[in-house]
Amino acid sequence: MADVAAASAAPIGRRRLAFLDRFLTLWIFLAMAAGVTIGYFFPRQIAGLDAQVTVGTTNIPIAIGLILMMFPPLAKVRYEELGDVFRNWKVLGLSLLQNWVIGPILMFALAIVFLRAYPEYMAGLILIGLARCIAMVIVWNELAKGDSEYAAGLVALNSIFQVLFYSVYAYVFITVLPTWFGLSGSAVHITIGEIAQSVFFYLGIPFVAGFLTRLVLVRLKGKAWYHGRFIPKINPLTLAALLFTIVVMFSLKGEYIIQLPLDVVRIAIPLLVYFVVMFLVSFLMGRAVGADYRQTATLSFTAASNNFELAIAVAVAVFGISSGQAFAAVIGPLVEVPVMIGLVNVAFYFQKHLFRGEDTSVS
């Protein structure tokens, strides 16, 4: 995850980071296993601790983990170049099509095909599909060497759309559309203010922190020091915070994951199909419109991943912590994390075969 521009700096730190990156999938699976194990053997203690550290629908340790996880990638963004991102209407339009038309419709279709006999799980799956990613996509994009500036721009755009349209989408896709297919709809009451609060917690804080850190330190020390010295020092924080967040998240539902393995599989299958199809379709669409590798990788991960934090928060707030909707929402990261790690490798395969000869280094 270290910036390639800093390849010549801090050789010991670079070797340590390379070692961590090399076995990243292993660390993530170990973190997931640790979380599930803790949740299974200490369910009452975890539930009690969760009640103490949760404010409203926000679990404070998870929020802190996500903020720390996203700070290094957002501190690396060259914010002065974001204007170029928003001038590329072709890429922005494609991203909006992928995120707010194709993604929600595909997840809705998968939900009613695979889970029509389980209406609570079906609704939870739809909530995941409607929550476009504004958080961990930064991490997946970073691992795949995507375009950091485009990632920041698309995340900002999705955040605005999420605040404005998530409640409307939730009403349409969960209350109205299921009745068109002979299924019962569910009443969903989620306000724009509640969504804005979630967006602020999981994106606004690290975004502002990253922007101010870059602004201040670049002026004081210069870009060479900032990208060559400071960024490599804080990069390992992303992995540490990611593993911490995974352990906490999976510990909250560890008991249910082990006790209901068939239900986990039922929910996981359409999620797996969704992530893979969205990624592949988005990658091919990006290539078709002439985007370079870094832009295409960013488009694909932005379209394929989801804001499971918001989906979980909405499911808990609307249907309750013990509901099937909340359980389905928690399975989201269980599937997404390892799948996205695998898709990072797929992105590099496409880079080698579809973008041969292209300079994909970070300037």
Side-chain angles (χ1 to χ4, degrees):
M1 289 181 287
D3 194 323
V4 296
S8 62
I12 296 176
R14 184 182 70 243
R15 287 198 295 270
R16 181 171 63 250
L17 191 59
F19 171 78
L20 293 175
D21 280 347
R22 182 182 303 176
F23 298 100
L24 179 61
T25 304
L26 173 62
W27 309 141
I28 288 177
F29 274 109
L30 289 176
M32 292 164 59
V36 171
T37 301
I38 294 170
Y40 179 74
F41 286 105
F42 305 99
R44 287 192 297 273
Q45 292 88 337
I46 292 296
L49 181 61
D50 178 50
Q52 294 178 8
V53 298
T54 297
V55 178
T57 59
T58 301
N59 181 290
I60 300 302
I62 290 178
I64 292 174
L66 288 167
I67 290 169
L68 293 176
M69 178 180 69
M70 290 184 292
F71 170 68
L74 288 171
K76 189 191 282 187
V77 172
R78 291 170 170 80
Y79 291 94
E80 65 273 15
E81 299 177 12
L82 283 181
D84 296 333
V85 175
F86 288 103
R87 279 192 288 270
N88 192 331
W89 290 103
K90 183 182 294 185
V91 173
L92 286 182
L94 182 57
S95 180
L96 291 177
L97 174 66
Q98 293 167 342
N99 278 282
W100 296 100
V101 179
I102 298 175
I105 291 176
L106 175 60
M107 188 69 93
F108 176 81
L110 292 171
I112 64 174
V113 168
F114 285 92
L115 297 172
R116 62 183 301 126
Y118 303 87
E120 290 190 354
Y121 295 163
M122 183 183 72
L125 202 71
I126 294 172
L127 285 176
I128 296 174
L130 301 180
R132 311 316 301 166
C133 195
I134 61 169
M136 292 185 72
V137 64
I138 298 290
V139 178
W140 312 137
N141 182 72
E142 179 82 358
L143 293 175
K145 305 302 180 186
D147 193 307
S148 298
E149 286 68 46
Y150 268 85
L154 296 180
V155 160
L157 196 64
N158 275 335
S159 300
I160 296 171
F161 271 73
Q162 204 148 240
V163 170
L164 295 177
F165 298 117
Y166 188 85
S167 57
V168 177
Y169 268 59
Y171 174 77
V172 171
F173 278 87
I174 294 180
T175 304
V176 178
L177 289 186
T179 62
W180 295 9
F181 298 87
L183 302 169
S184 59
S186 303
V188 178
H189 305 288
I190 183 73
T191 67
I192 289 178
E194 289 169 320
I195 296 172
Q197 182 184 44
S198 178
V199 170
F200 174 76
F201 260 100
Y202 301 121
L203 178 67
I205 293 175
F207 205 104
V208 171
F211 173 79
L212 292 179
T213 298
R214 176 178 169 80
L215 179 67
V216 172
L217 292 184
V218 166
R219 287 185 177 180
L220 291 177
K221 294 286 192 174
K223 287 186 179 181
W225 177 89
Y226 185 80
H227 288 283
R229 296 277 187 162
F230 179 72
I231 291 297
K233 289 290 185 182
I234 66 171
N235 264 323
L237 182 62
T238 294
L239 176 57
L242 172 63
L243 298 179
F244 168 78
T245 304
I246 289 172
V247 171
V248 175
M249 262 193 311
F250 283 90
S251 69
L252 295 175
K253 289 292 181 179
E255 185 179 20
Y256 294 101
I257 291 172
I258 291 179
Q259 289 180 349
L260 301 172
L262 291 180
D263 286 16
V264 172
V265 173
R266 287 190 184 97
I267 299 166
I269 291 174
L271 282 170
L272 175 61
V273 173
Y274 172 85
F275 293 136
V276 173
V277 170
M278 279 298 295
F279 179 84
L280 295 178
V281 169
S282 299
F283 219 101
L284 293 176
M285 291 174 69
R287 179 61 172 163
V289 300
D292 62 26
Y293 166 76
R294 297 181 64 226
Q295 294 170 351
T296 302
T298 300
L299 282 169
S300 301
F301 283 105
T302 304
S305 51
N306 293 87
N307 184 359
F308 56 79
E309 305 89 9
L310 178 60
I312 293 172
V314 172
V316 170
V318 175
F319 301 104
I321 185 64
S322 300
S323 66
Q325 291 88 343
F327 179 71
V330 170
I331 301 304
L334 175 68
V335 180
E336 178 174 335
V337 170
V339 171
M340 288 299 154
I341 291 297
L343 290 176
V344 168
N345 295 317
V346 174
F348 286 133
Y349 175 85
F350 285 156
Q351 177 187 12
K352 181 179 179 181
H353 290 85
L354 298 181
F355 298 86
R356 192 174 300 167
E358 179 182 302
D359 181 13
T360 57
S361 62
V362 181
S363 60

